[in-house]
Amino acid sequence: MTTRRFEPIDSGVTPRFAGHATFMRLPVVVNPREVDVAIAGVPWDGGTTNRPGPRHGPRQVREMSSLIKRVHSVTKISPYELCRVADVGDAPVNPIDLDRSLESIRAFFAQIVAAGAVPLSVGGDHLCSLPILRAVAAKGPVGMIHFDAHSDTVDTYFGGLKYTHGTPFRRAVEEKLLDPKRVVQIGIRGSTYSADERGWALAQGMRIITIEELEDLGVDAVIREARRVAGEGPTYISFDIDALDPAVAPGTGTPEFAGITSREALRLLRGLRHLNLVGADVVEVSPPFDPSGGTALAGANIAFELLCLLAESFAARKA
Ligand code: MN
Ligand code: MN
């Protein structure tokens, strides 16, 4: 097995606006056995129920990630020194075949997991998290720290359809991919279809921290609560960009007013170091609704925070 590490292209040689757009300006490495943290795109939004477009998310996040430098501003770690990180390309998808796409996305991530690598994916709509969890949690349920305006635990849409971006975590609990007692959802808000829309999730034992509770408790208490719920077992982080306030992240399918601020998001993520992380994703960046590029910039920065968390966690397991 190679121990070759990968570095972003040196911006002192090739300026940030030049060269191929890859995640974090890393090389593309198609063999997951050569990487420890595999950054992958999932250019698919076949589960979208309202405004479409996150199929274009991976390309735009790759583009905006060219602005991100090697070293984390607060922790001073460089993920590229901790382990082997590369852009492994996009999962194969079919834009008009939901069933086939769910299976091809699962198979792509199963191959990453089988290689011993940890996936960091950039979607795609939130239904993409379901086939990724089918790969990551194939051997048993995982916990999840989930940032979102929505619980995504509705049963069905449009006359009994079970696979949409509003249902992935209901399916994941039913399939025993998630241990609901180790799931915490942060930033939940907005009007709902019914008064007890979140009742099923709560009945399973999920911890829902609404935006109102986040404001009341404060960021540090929410971090403690998220860490308590996730515990020491294998944990996945899923970040729906609509968790952020639409003032900073308007480019998404189902924006909800009055969300998490950029600074709160960074503080929350930085409070999640040294968990036992087995994967992460950032989803629902929709470039057609993002004329400024600011939503993709948010997605790229959140992906870098997630990368640093995954790299530290991976390195700690190998130490
Ligand atoms: Mn979501
Ligand atoms: Mn959402």
Side-chain angles (χ1 to χ4, degrees):
M1 189 205 282
T2 176
T3 53
R4 186 164 62 110
R5 297 249 169 97
F6 307 103
E7 286 280 336
I9 297 169
D10 184 349
S11 61
V13 177
T14 308
R16 294 190 175 277
F17 48 84
H20 299 287
T22 62
F23 290 121
M24 313 300 167
R25 291 170 41 101
L26 287 161
V28 173
V29 176
V30 293
N31 181 358
R33 295 189 180 287
E34 294 179 30
V35 304
D36 300 319
V37 179
I39 315 182
V42 188
W44 188 75
D45 55 17
T48 301
T49 56
N50 194 349
R51 310 195 305 179
R55 68 180 64 180
H56 304 292
R59 278 203 176 172
Q60 196 60 26
V61 172
R62 281 187 175 97
E63 168 69 19
M64 298 310 276
S65 77
S66 69
L67 289 157
I68 296 177
K69 305 178 186 93
R70 301 175 60 256
V71 177
H72 192 280
S73 62
V74 173
T75 66
K76 306 300 181 192
I77 72 156
S78 165
Y80 317 111
E81 289 171 8
L82 293 174
C83 56
R84 304 171 301 172
V85 186
D87 183 333
V88 296
D90 286 346
V93 297
N94 182 321
I96 53 171
D97 191 327
L98 186 148
D99 292 336
R100 205 182 295 181
S101 295
L102 291 182
E103 175 48 25
S104 63
I105 295 166
R106 184 206 62 78
F108 179 83
F109 283 93
Q111 171 209 8
I112 289 171
V113 172
V118 172
L120 168 57
S121 79
V122 175
D125 71 35
H126 221 157
L127 184 55
C128 296
S129 299
L130 179 64
I132 297 170
L133 284 170
R134 285 173 175 164
V136 166
K139 290 185 179 150
V142 300
M144 180 172 71
I145 300 174
H146 170 203
F147 297 89
D148 206 318
H150 314 97
S151 173
D152 293 350
T153 51
V154 174
D155 189 13
T156 62
Y157 280 72
F158 298 115
L161 294 181
K162 296 178 87 70
Y163 297 100
T164 81
H165 70 162
T167 64
F169 303 123
R170 182 120 164 191
R171 300 290 91 81
V173 170
E174 290 170 349
E175 296 179 26
K176 298 193 174 6
L177 307 172
L178 288 175
D179 174 355
K181 296 185 172 55
R182 294 187 52 232
V183 172
V184 56
Q185 304 186 308
I186 301 170
I188 308 300
R189 64 186 186 276
S191 52
T192 52
Y193 295 104
S194 66
D196 72 339
E197 183 174 306
R198 299 164 195 153
W200 183 89
L202 292 169
Q204 309 307 305
M206 291 189 188
R207 175 73 168 95
I208 294 180
I209 301 177
T210 62
I211 198 73
E212 291 81 8
E213 189 177 0
L214 168 61
E215 184 158 21
D216 289 343
L217 290 178
V219 168
D220 292 340
V222 170
I223 290 168
R224 284 195 296 276
E225 180 69 347
R227 298 186 70 101
R228 181 192 70 75
V229 172
E232 291 175 359
T235 300
Y236 190 82
I237 301 178
S238 189
F239 199 110
D240 185 327
I241 207 73
D242 72 27
L244 298 179
D245 194 284
V248 294
T252 194
T254 45
E256 296 287 355
F257 189 55
I260 296 173
T261 69
S262 306
R263 293 179 197 169
E264 285 169 342
L266 294 182
R267 281 182 62 202
L268 287 162
L269 289 168
R270 290 166 187 174
L272 302 180
R273 295 176 72 188
H274 312 304
L275 293 169
N276 180 9
L277 299 177
V278 293
D281 61 45
V282 52
V283 295
E284 299 284 356
V285 172
S286 180
F289 292 95
D290 188 29
S292 73
T295 312
L297 179 66
N301 275 276
I302 284 157
F304 183 70
E305 296 288 333
L306 293 170
L307 170 59
C308 290
L309 294 174
L310 291 175
E312 272 194 305
S313 183
F314 184 93
R317 278 198 297 269
K318 295 291 161 183

